[in-house]
Every structure is written in structure tokens, then in C-alpha cells.
């Protein structure tokens, strides 16, 4: 019974933790412009993140080594450092976007300008990382993020035209060019497979001291929780496709993106969705900030983690503090957080192979894994995804320049 | 009796160093070697002064340069962890004994973390004593300096460059029971073929066939040089045998497998 | 490394557009009208369902829209119209967008004070303005 409870709790946390500002923005934008014609990308992305998160989780459980340890060990100090610079930069951009998203949600709830909320969000996030236990932190914000299920319910309540949505699955309703379509495909893939998710997932496994015995729970979280999180993403797109697409409205602010929940359930729906957006983005603020500390500490071999007291992981906590300050400063320049999100998605997509190649290699190394090396299915899929991610990485930046970031 | 065989790059360098109680200490940024009767590994080197030269380029020079600036000594050396303290070598390297922590960690703790509210740093009982700086050990060669060196055979013909160093645990006794890791051979690749990922050695489980095939193809023509085949371990490394006498890397493996199953 | 920089420079240089001609100008005006029509349609949707939404939310939504519509003026002010015809295009689009900005601003003031006085009229006005923006966008070369 207790075990069942633990598994359920883990799955719920995974669902709530899956959606962040990137998923929100990308799916709402795409839904309003391309309907459901890009839903297949979310499916591809969810399968990918399940595949690699399972590998990273397995490596963490069996060998106790998180992802950036593997990056440094397999790529060596020089390529590892380049990888660190890229990952850290993108992570910082994502962190800024999440802080901006949380502040925007507070603006929607109160009507007070988001810029005034930004420092408060940064401060509270740092306090949580400084004082709150890892498990408590992960659980509370993961479960709170479940409020976003309102998108799924709202979709059915809005009385959508199922025939039209079904047609969109195979036929692109937009008259934008192919380059724009593929640009958003790349952004959606970046949203579903954001590298920080595996940094955080595998480091979290070490924080919670997973062992071989936890492999079952870990797999349940990944294989049930993430796909349901992906379903939420598609629901966001479907809501946008139902409400905005027929009116030819292209959403570009967070306020517009949550409107469908309000239309479906009135003020309660609106309050729930804003709460959900806040919980999801604030939770992701913590995850990205911690990931910046994890990646740099794991590259240099510093003591990291919340399982020791802050003074025993001084450099790690210093990194958290500095990253949070830099991200807050970036958002305070009044740069549009939604734009920051879009760029961070595309850059994430471009950096995907950097993270996933070492994971794939170590998951096959009997030195680390003993008898828990990858099976044939993981390897076949893993190879397929490596090729896909390489193509995406090469195409991402040119597509961004060619479409002027999707305009 | 033959000792355990490791490859320096594949099994040791860049791995996490962990204390006996599970706390993380540093990375294996480099290894220190002693050229005795038989050459062997004496210590793990850590920190930017060890990592910088391996990173190379502007960034590497910056790393060492900045560190030198903040170290009071005339010619600072990287912190070392003697191999006699090393216990298990697995997915991490475990060390016992009392190894002082990095000075940057201490500095950040004292100047940034402890003053913050809630860190518990004001409690004087928690403050450990300042570590005593160990007596300077004369600078020795680093293992990474071997990597990348050109190798020429008896007749001066080019063989390639060193990609990895093979270590066998049958060197002189360190402490009471552990034997040192002796340098027992070199993995030589024909040209700059990039990173070795371990696929070129060993059957590699059921690794993705495509990745393995690509990497093996990149490294075809790689050779193994036994330490006894080396005449002068200078730069370039001179062998006492002709190129043709060297064992191709993959053959070494089939041989190892055969001896392992025998 | 140096090669990468060179390639990047070339790419960037390729993206920066040279002097605008009439067609470019028209396209840009059409895209702007589309974006403005989209904003107006969204506000209409929100006003129609005013009772279901909270005041801080409406306020934020309308403020964002006013800011977005206002920025159109400065965008077009930065580019010299290439011909007399383009001057006319500019006059038309800026008039339409500032009309939209004005309407939304009025609604915003009403929301700030209490609530929207005559939602039905506001919806009708917004719909009519939206149609004009779409029609203008249709006229422009695509």
C-alpha cells in the first residue's frame, strides 16, 4: 500500500512537473497557428524524453553518477567544457524565462505589473532552494502544477469540433510557409526534450539516493508520468486550436494563452489555470536554477546537492545564488519573457545531442551498469533519436534565421 | 599473478573522486607519474592547475593563470591525492584518509555561504581547523603529457600518436597492501581521429551497433605498444621494434578475451 | 573558430534587408494589420465573456494589447516610405491601428474604473474594426 502510494505520488509529480513555460508557450502558439497539425512532434518528443530520462535515471540509480558526470567522463575535459558552456547558457536563459513566466502569472492574478514581481519570485525561489528539503520541494510544486489539468477538462467543455481537429492532425490548416511550420516543430521538440529535464531528473535521483531497487518506481514515473504530461501539452494546443484558430487569433502573451480555461469555466477556471501556470513555472524555476548548479558542479567535481547542508556544498549554493541573480537581472531589462522562452527553446533543440550522446554511451557501458546495460529496443530507438537530434541540431539555427524566429 | 588492467583515459581520468563517507571531493583532473625502475602512477592531481593544461587553448591558460594569481606560492602545484589512499576504482574513485578540501570551497563557504542567514555558519563549533598545507612535493611528470605525443618506430617511421595509456596494477607496493598502477603500454592511433570512447576496446556489450561501427571505423589502424617495446619515452616516443611488429588494437582484445576465458 | 565567425557574419548580412521597395512596405503593412486584427479579435472575445473573467486579468490583457498596438506607430515611423503610394499605405495602417488602440484604451479605462459600460456596443465596434483591418491586409501584396 505504501509502495503504491509512493508510485502514484511520483507519477502525479512527474505529470505536474512536465509542463513548464516552454511547453505552455510553444503549444499555445502552435495550437493557435497550426491547430493540431504539429501534435505528432509532441508525441515524438515525449517518446524521446522517456527514452533518455529512463537511461539517465537508470545510470543514476545503478552507478550513482548523474548526467554531467557522464558528459565530462565520456567527452573529456575540452569538449565537456564546451558542452558545459552551451548547456549553462541555455539553462540560464530558460531560468530567466521561467522566472518571467511566474511573474507574469502573478500579474494576471493581481493586475500588478510583472516587473515588480520578478525580484520577489527570484528571492522566494532562492529561499526555497536554500532551506526546503529536496523531496518536499519537488512534491509540492509538482502536485500544484497538476492544476493545469484544467486545460484538458476545458478542452472537452469548450465543445470542440472534433471532425475539424481530426482533419488538422494530418493537414496543416495554416497558410504560413513550410519553413515556419518546421521552425515550430523544432521549438516543440525543444520544449518536450529540454536538456535541463534530464540533468534535474538524474541529479534528483542521486539526491533521493536511488538504488537498483528504485528502478521500478523510476520507470513508472517516466513511462506513465511523462506521457500524461505530454497529453497536457497537447491539451493546451487543442484548446488554442479550438478557441483561437477559427477566429484567426495568433496568441503571443501568457494572458492570451490561458483565456480558454476562463471561457470554459469562468472565474474559477481562470483562477485554477493561473495558479497552475504559476506552480509549473515556479517549480521549473527551481529545477532550472538547480540544474545550473548541478551541471557546473558535476563538471568540476564539486560537492553538490541538497542532501548535504548548504555550507558543505558552498560552491554549489554560490552558483545557485549567482544564476538566480543573473536571470532576474536579465528579465528586469524588460526583455519580453515570451521571446526569451522562444529563443531558449530553439537553442535547447540545437544543443540536444550534446547531452544525450554521452547518456546513450554510458547506458551501454558494463563498467558502469553491470547487467543493467541497455536492451536492444533502447539502443535501436536511441540510435534513431541520435540521428533525429543531429538533424534537428543542424537545422535549428538556420530555420530560426530564415523565418526570423517564426514571424 | 597479473594485476588488474585499466586504461587511464577510459577508466580513471575525469572520474569523480569520492570520500569514504560519500561526500564528493574533486575530479581526477590528471595523474602524476614517477619514472622509477618501472614507471607508475603516484597521485591523483586535482583543481584548475591540473585541468587547465588538459583543456588547453586560451581557456586553459586562463584557468591556470587566474589560479596562480590567487595562490601565494612562487610556483604553485595542484592539490594531490596520493594513490596509497585510493580504494575502489569504479564509476567513481573512492579515497580514504584525511584529504583537505579545495581552497575555493573553503573560501566561498567562509565569505559567501556562512554569512547568509540560516546557514548555521556562525556556530563556531562547526568550523573545522584550517588545513595544514602539505610539504611541497617536487613537480613530477603528468600522465596527460604523454597523450598526444608522436610515436616513431625503430627506423624513425611514423606510427601515430598516443591516445591512451594502459595501466597494470602490479607496480611497487604503495602503503601496506596496494600495488601501484604501472604504466604497461600505450594505445596509439594513426592520426588525430578525435576522442576514444571505449568502443575500440572490448566487445562493449550490446552498444548501439551504429555508434560502435562509426567509432571503430574512425579508429581502424590503431595499435598497441607494450611498455617493453619502448626505447626512449621522450618526445617523440621511440620504439625498439618496427611498426609491423606492433599488435593491432582489436587483436589485443581477442587475445585478452581468450586469456580471460582460459 | 574563425571560419564559424565568418559564416555567421555572412548569414547575418544576408538577413539584414536592404532598402525597402513598395512591395516590401505593403507586405509589412499587411502583416501588421493581421497582427492588429488578431489583437482586436482577442479583445472582442474577452469582452464578450467579460462576466466569466476577473478584473485583474482583463486589465492585464487589455494593457498588453494597448502596448502592442501603440508600438506599431513607432515601428512604421522608423522606416522611410519608399514612394507616395507607400505614404498613403502608412497613413491608412497607422490610422487603423491607432483607432484600435483608442478603442481598447477606452475599454481599459472602463475596466479600471468599474466594468465595461456597454459590452454589446463594444463587441460590435471591435468586430467592425477587425473586419476593416482584415480587409486592409487582404489588399496588400502577400
Amino acid at each position: 500500500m505504501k509502495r503504491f502510494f509512493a508510485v502514484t505520488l511520483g507519477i502525479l509529480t512527474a505529470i505536474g512537473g512536465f509542463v513548464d513555460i516552454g511547453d505552455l508557450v510553444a503549444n499555445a502558439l502552435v495550437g493557435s497557428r497550426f491547430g493540431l497539425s504539429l501534435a505528432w512532434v509532441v508525441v515524438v518528443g515525449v517518446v524521446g524524453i522517456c527514452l533518455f530520462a529512463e537511461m539517465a535515471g537508470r545510470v543514476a540509480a545503478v552507478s550513482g553518477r548523474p548526467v554531467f558526470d557522464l558528459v565530462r567522463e565520456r567527452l573529456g575535459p575540452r569538449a565537456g567544457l564546451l558542452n558545459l558552456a552551451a548547456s549553462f547558457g541555455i539553462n540560464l536563459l530558460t531560468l530567466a524565462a521561467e522566472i518571467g513566466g511566474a511573474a507574469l502569472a502573478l500579474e494576471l492574478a493581481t493586475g500588478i505589473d510583472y516587473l515588480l514581481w520578478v525580484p520577489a519570485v527570484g528571492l522566494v525561489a532562492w529561499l526555497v532552494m536554500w532551506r526546503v528539503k529536496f523531496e518536499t520541494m519537488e512534491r509540492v510544486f509538482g502536485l500544484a502544477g497538476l492544476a493545469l489539468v484544467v486545460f484538458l477538462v476545458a478542452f472537452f467543455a469548450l465543445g470542440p469540433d472534433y471532425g475539424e481537429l481530426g482533419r488538422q492532425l494530418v493537414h496543416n490548416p495554416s497558410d504560413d510557409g513550410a519553413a515556419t511550420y518546421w521552425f515550430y516543430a523544432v521549438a516543440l521538440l525543444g520544449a518536450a526534450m529540454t536538456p535541463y529535464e534530464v540533468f534535474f531528473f538524474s541529479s534528483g535521483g542521486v539526491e533521493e539516493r536511488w538504488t537498483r531497487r528504485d528502478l521500478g518506481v523510476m520507470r513508472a514515473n517516466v513511462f506513465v508520468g511523462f506521457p500524461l504530461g505530454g497529453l497536457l501539452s497537447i491539451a493546451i494546443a487543442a484548446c488554442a486550436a479550438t478557441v483561437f484558430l477559427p477566429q484567426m487569433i495568433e496568441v503571443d502573451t501568457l494572458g492570451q494563452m490561458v483565456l480558454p480555461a476562463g471561457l470554459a469555466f469562468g472565474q474559477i477556471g481562470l483562477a485554477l489555470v493561473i495558479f497552475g501556470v504559476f506552480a509549473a513555472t515556479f517549480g521549473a524555476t527551481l529545477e532550472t536554477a538547480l540544474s545550473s548548479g548541478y551541471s557546473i558542479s558535476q563538471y568540476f567535481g564539486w560537492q553538490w546537492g541538497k542532501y548535504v547542508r548548504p555550507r558543505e556544498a558552498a560552491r554549489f549554493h554560490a552558483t545557485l545564488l549567482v544564476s538566480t541573480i543573473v536571470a532576474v537581472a536579465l528579465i528586469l531589462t524588460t526583455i519580453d519573457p515570451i521571446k526569451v522562452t522562444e529563443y531558449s527553446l530553439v537553442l535547447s533543440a540545437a544543443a540536444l545531442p550534446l547531452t544525450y550522446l554521452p547518456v546513450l554511451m554510458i547506458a551501454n557501458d558494463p563498467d558502469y551498469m553491470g547487467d543493467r546495460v541497455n536492451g536492444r529496443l533502447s539502443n535501436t530507438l536511441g540510435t534513431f533519436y541520435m540521428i533525429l537530434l543531429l538533424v534537428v541540431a543542424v537545422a535549428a539555427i538556420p530555420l530560426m534565421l530564415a523565418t526570423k524566429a517564426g514571424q | 599473478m597479473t594485476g588488474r588492467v585499466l586504461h587511464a583515459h577510459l577508466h580513471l581520468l575525469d572520474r569523480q573522486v569520492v570520500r569514504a563517507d560519500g561526500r564528493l571531493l574533486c575530479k581526477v583532473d590528471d595523474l602524476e607519474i614517477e619514472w622509477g625502475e618501472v614507471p607508475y602512477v603516484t597521485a591523483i592531481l586535482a583543481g584548475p592547475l591540473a585541468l587547465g593544461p588538459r583543456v588547453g587553448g586560451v581557456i586553459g591558460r586562463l584557468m591556470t593563470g587566474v589560479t596562480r594569481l590567487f595562490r601565494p606560492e612562487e610556483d604553485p602545484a595542484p592539490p594531490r591525492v596520493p594513490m596509497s589512499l585510493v580504494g575502489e576504482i569504479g564509476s567513481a574513485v573512492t579515497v580514504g584518509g584525511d584529504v583537505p578540501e579545495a581552497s575555493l570551497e573553503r573560501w566561498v563557504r567562509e565569505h559567501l555561504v556562512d554569512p547568509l542567514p540560516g546557514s548555521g555558519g556562525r556556530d563556531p563549533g562547526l568550523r573545522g581547523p584550517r588545513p595544514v598545507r602539505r610539504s611541497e612535493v617536487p613537480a613530477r611528470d603528468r600522465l596527460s603529457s604523454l597523450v598526444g605525443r608522436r610515436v616513431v618506430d625503430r627506423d624513425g617511421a611514423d606510427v601515430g600518436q598516443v591516445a591512451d595509456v594502459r595501466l597494470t596494477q602490479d607496480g611497487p607496493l604503495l602503503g601496506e597492501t596496494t600495488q601501484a598502477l604501472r604504466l604497461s603500454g600505450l594505445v596509439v592511433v594513426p592520426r588525430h581521429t578525435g576522442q576514444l570512447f571505449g568502443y575500440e576496446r572490448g566487445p562493449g556489450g550490446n552498444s548501439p551497433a551504429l555508434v560502435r561501427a562509426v567509432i571503430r571505423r574512425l579508429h581502424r589502424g590503431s595499435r598497441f605498444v607494450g611498455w617493453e617495446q619502448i626505447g626512449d619515452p621522450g618526445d617523440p616516443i621511440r620504439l625498439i621494434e618496427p611498426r609491423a611488429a606492433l599488435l593491432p588494437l582489436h587483436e589485443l582484445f581477442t587475445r585478452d578475451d581468450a586469456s580471460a576465458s582460459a | 573558430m574563425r571560419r564559424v565567425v565568418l559564416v555567421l557574419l555572412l548569414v547575418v548580412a544576408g538577413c539584414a534587408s536592404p532598402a525597402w521597395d513598395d512591395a516590401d512596405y505593403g507586405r509589412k503593412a499587411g502583416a501588421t494589420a493581421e497582427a492588429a486584427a488578431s489583437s482586436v479579435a482577442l479583445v472582442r472575445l474577452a469582452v464578450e465573456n467579460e462576466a466569466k473573467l476577473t478584473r485583474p486579468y482583463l486589465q492585464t490583457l487589455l494593457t498588453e494589447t494597448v502596448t502592442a498596438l501603440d508600438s506599431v506607430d513607432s515601428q512604421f515611423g522608423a522606416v522611410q516610405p519608399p514612394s507616395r503610394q507607400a505614404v498613403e499605405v502608412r497613413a491608412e495602417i497607422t490610422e487603423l491601428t491607432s483607432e484600435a488602440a483608442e478603442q481598447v484604451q477606452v475599454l481599459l479605462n472602463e475596466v479600471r474604473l468599474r466594468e465595461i459600460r456597454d459590452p454589446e456596443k463594444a463587441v460590435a465596434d471591435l468586430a467592425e474594426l477587425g473586419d476593416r483591418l482584415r480587409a486592409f491586409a487582404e489588399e496588400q501584396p502577400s
Side-chain angles (χ1 to χ4, degrees):
Chain A
M1 190 61 210
K2 206 177 159 194
R3 192 157 180 82
F4 174 78
F5 183 68
V7 172
T8 317
L9 196 61
I11 290 173
L12 292 178
T13 312
I15 303 171
F18 184 84
V19 175
D20 71 344
I21 186 80
D23 295 283
L24 260 169
V25 169
N27 282 289
L29 248 165
V30 163
S32 75
R33 283 181 73 163
F34 301 96
L36 284 184
S37 62
L38 278 164
W40 62 271
V41 179
V42 179
V43 177
V44 171
V46 168
V47 172
I49 188 78
C50 285
L51 184 71
F52 286 100
E54 193 272 336
M55 280 188 222
R58 184 153 39 92
V59 174
V62 173
S63 71
R65 301 270 66 84
V67 165
F68 231 89
D69 268 26
L70 313 182
V71 169
R72 161 92 188 257
E73 205 268 313
R74 256 325 102 121
L75 299 184
R78 198 178 316 189
L81 190 63
L82 264 177
N83 196 330
L84 175 69
S87 304
F88 193 82
I90 294 167
N91 212 6
L92 210 55
L93 211 58
T94 315
L95 173 59
E98 308 285 358
I99 292 178
L104 284 171
L106 288 171
E107 175 177 1
L108 291 176
T110 59
I112 297 169
D113 196 289
Y114 78 98
L115 287 174
L116 292 173
W117 288 110
V118 168
V121 170
L123 181 67
V124 175
W126 176 76
L127 278 174
V128 171
M129 292 187 286
W130 179 244
R131 295 298 292 177
V132 179
K133 261 176 56 187
F134 184 85
E135 282 200 340
T136 319
M137 179 194 94
E138 203 193 7
R139 290 280 141 82
V140 167
F141 293 102
L143 293 179
L146 273 181
L148 287 177
V149 171
V150 70
F151 270 117
L152 193 61
V153 191
F155 168 67
F156 293 108
L158 283 167
D161 177 353
Y162 294 104
E164 169 59 21
L165 289 176
R167 249 191 312 285
Q168 287 169 7
L169 284 177
V170 288
H171 173 78
N172 173 12
S174 154
D175 53 359
D176 292 316
T180 320
Y181 179 83
W182 289 107
F183 170 78
Y184 280 108
V186 166
L188 269 182
L189 194 71
M193 294 188 71
T194 327
Y196 86 79
E197 286 174 14
V198 292
F199 296 158
F200 181 76
F201 187 70
S202 72
S203 306
V206 178
E207 295 253 27
E208 295 180 357
R209 304 195 179 273
W210 287 348
T211 61
R212 276 163 187 262
R213 274 191 316 192
D214 300 306
L215 282 177
V217 179
M218 184 276 284
R219 289 203 171 115
N221 290 352
V222 170
F223 292 134
V224 182
F226 285 5
L228 289 177
L231 191 64
L232 270 189
S233 298
I234 296 184
I236 296 172
C239 279
T242 306
V243 172
F244 300 125
L245 186 66
Q247 311 254 17
M248 296 209 286
I249 298 172
E250 290 181 3
V251 294
D252 52 8
T253 71
L254 198 62
Q256 300 171 352
M257 290 167 193
V258 300
L259 186 61
L263 297 186
F265 300 121
Q267 300 200 345
I268 293 181
L270 198 60
L272 257 179
V273 79
I274 292 174
F275 175 74
V277 169
F278 175 75
T281 49
F282 190 77
T285 301
L286 302 173
E287 292 184 11
T288 41
L290 284 168
S291 294
S292 65
Y294 289 147
S295 56
I296 202 165
S297 303
Q298 287 162 13
Y299 176 85
F300 287 108
W302 302 341
Q303 173 67 54
W304 52 270
K306 288 175 56 52
Y307 64 97
V308 295
R309 280 175 306 167
R311 62 190 314 276
E312 280 171 17
R315 288 172 290 187
F316 170 71
H317 274 278
T319 314
L320 299 186
L321 184 58
V322 172
S323 319
T324 311
I325 292 174
V326 170
V328 164
L330 184 65
I331 289 299
L332 284 180
T333 58
T334 72
I335 184 171
D336 179 6
I338 303 296
K339 278 271 166 306
V340 176
T341 310
E342 288 173 30
Y343 285 112
S344 78
L345 287 179
V346 177
L347 294 176
S348 292
L352 287 174
L354 293 179
T355 313
Y356 290 122
L357 182 63
V359 174
L360 181 61
M361 285 178 162
I362 298 273
N364 274 297
D365 191 332
D367 237 28
Y368 274 79
M369 304 300 292
D371 56 344
R372 293 296 187 165
V373 290
N374 271 0
R376 195 178 287 267
L377 179 68
S378 289
N379 274 337
T380 314
L381 272 175
T383 313
F384 167 75
Y385 267 90
M386 268 337 291
I387 297 171
L388 176 73
L389 295 182
L390 281 172
V391 173
V392 168
V394 171
I397 307 288
L399 274 176
M400 182 170 83
L401 294 173
T403 61
K404 292 183 186 148
Q407 279 165 16
Chain B
M1 189 195 98
T2 52
R4 183 180 178 193
V5 175
L6 295 173
H7 285 95
H9 249 283
L10 191 59
H11 299 119
L12 214 46
L13 284 173
D14 299 314
R15 296 238 169 165
Q16 182 72 43
V17 179
V18 183
R19 287 179 202 268
D21 63 3
R23 278 180 301 152
L24 310 172
L25 185 63
C26 59
K27 291 274 175 183
V28 181
D29 285 325
D30 209 338
L31 295 167
E32 186 187 69
I33 45 181
E34 165 79 49
W35 302 100
E37 232 163 273
V38 287
Y40 65 98
V41 179
T42 50
I44 290 170
L45 301 176
L49 288 178
L51 181 61
R54 285 186 63 214
V55 171
V58 181
I59 306 286
R61 279 201 298 276
L62 207 64
M63 250 189 217
T64 44
V66 169
T67 313
R68 274 171 205 282
L69 207 60
F70 288 104
R71 292 278 294 265
E73 303 96 311
E74 183 70 24
D75 189 17
R80 51 198 296 284
V81 181
M83 284 307 277
S84 55
L85 297 178
V86 171
E88 197 194 327
I89 299 176
S91 62
V93 177
T94 325
V95 298
D98 179 32
V99 185
E101 63 188 347
S103 41
L104 180 64
E105 175 81 11
R106 170 167 282 275
W107 190 90
V108 172
R109 175 180 311 145
E110 283 175 1
H111 292 88
L112 184 74
V113 174
D114 277 352
L116 291 171
S119 67
R122 278 162 219 268
D123 182 357
L126 280 172
R127 293 212 173 166
R130 233 163 225 293
V132 189
R133 206 167 272 291
R134 291 176 182 243
S135 57
E136 286 293 317
V137 178
R140 295 202 183 103
D141 269 352
R142 297 181 186 179
L143 189 126
S144 63
S145 70
L146 282 175
V147 176
R149 273 195 210 174
R150 300 225 58 84
V151 178
V152 294
D153 75 353
R154 187 186 58 187
D155 314 316
D158 193 56
V159 178
Q161 63 177 6
V162 179
D164 205 344
V165 179
R166 192 174 161 97
L167 306 169
T168 311
Q169 197 160 23
D170 60 359
L173 270 182
L174 298 167
E176 281 164 21
T177 48
T178 2
Q179 281 190 296
L181 291 164
R182 175 177 66 86
L183 277 62
S184 58
L186 302 172
V187 174
V188 181
V189 296
R191 54 194 119 50
H192 192 75
T193 38
Q195 189 88 25
L196 293 165
F197 290 105
Y199 287 104
E200 63 289 339
R201 279 152 284 180
N206 38 7
S207 45
L210 184 70
V211 179
R212 186 174 34 171
V214 167
I215 290 170
R216 288 226 166 131
R217 169 133 192 99
L218 279 173
H219 293 285
R220 69 191 183 282
S222 303
R223 272 158 211 285
F224 176 74
V225 174
W227 203 262
E228 65 285 351
Q229 293 173 307
I230 296 176
D232 168 24
D235 191 9
I237 296 171
R238 238 166 232 295
L239 307 183
I240 52 172
E241 290 194 54
R243 192 191 140 98
L246 299 175
L247 216 52
L249 200 54
H250 58 87
E251 256 178 57
L252 179 76
F253 248 96
T254 38
R255 197 187 63 177
D256 272 7
D257 287 346
S259 65
S261 58
Chain C
M1 193 63 213
R2 215 160 280 165
R3 243 178 308 167
V4 175
V5 173
L6 188 69
V7 170
L8 276 181
L9 277 178
L10 285 175
V11 169
V12 172
C15 289
S17 48
W20 291 28
D21 61 17
D22 267 10
D24 288 334
Y25 203 82
R27 258 195 294 278
K28 175 80 182 155
T32 309
E34 280 288 354
S38 157
S39 301
V40 168
L42 193 117
V43 170
R44 203 195 65 211
L45 203 57
V47 172
E48 266 174 352
N49 297 280
E50 188 211 355
K52 293 182 176 177
L53 307 173
T54 60
R55 218 163 62 135
Y57 174 78
L58 262 180
Q59 214 173 303
T60 312
L61 201 64
L62 297 182
T63 314
E64 280 169 0
T65 315
V66 173
T67 320
L69 289 170
D70 275 342
S71 75
V72 172
D73 268 347
S74 56
Q75 265 181 40
F76 266 81
V79 184
Q80 188 67 28
S83 67
R84 284 196 53 167
Q85 201 196 342
V87 174
E88 278 166 29
V89 168
R90 177 165 81 169
E92 208 172 331
I93 178 73
T94 45
E95 199 194 306
L96 280 169
T97 51
S98 38
E99 196 183 329
E102 227 167 89
Q103 280 197 24
V104 180
Q105 181 69 53
V106 169
L107 291 174
L108 176 58
N109 292 343
E110 289 177 6
V111 170
R112 278 200 183 127
L113 281 176
R114 229 184 111 77
E115 58 183 7
I116 294 170
R117 260 180 243 142
D118 188 354
E120 273 165 41
K121 181 172 178 302
V123 168
D125 286 353
L126 286 168
E128 186 264 339
L129 183 59
D131 289 344
R132 270 193 285 151
L133 279 162
R134 299 261 188 226
F136 173 82
E138 289 293 310
E139 284 167 23
Q140 304 307 319
S142 60

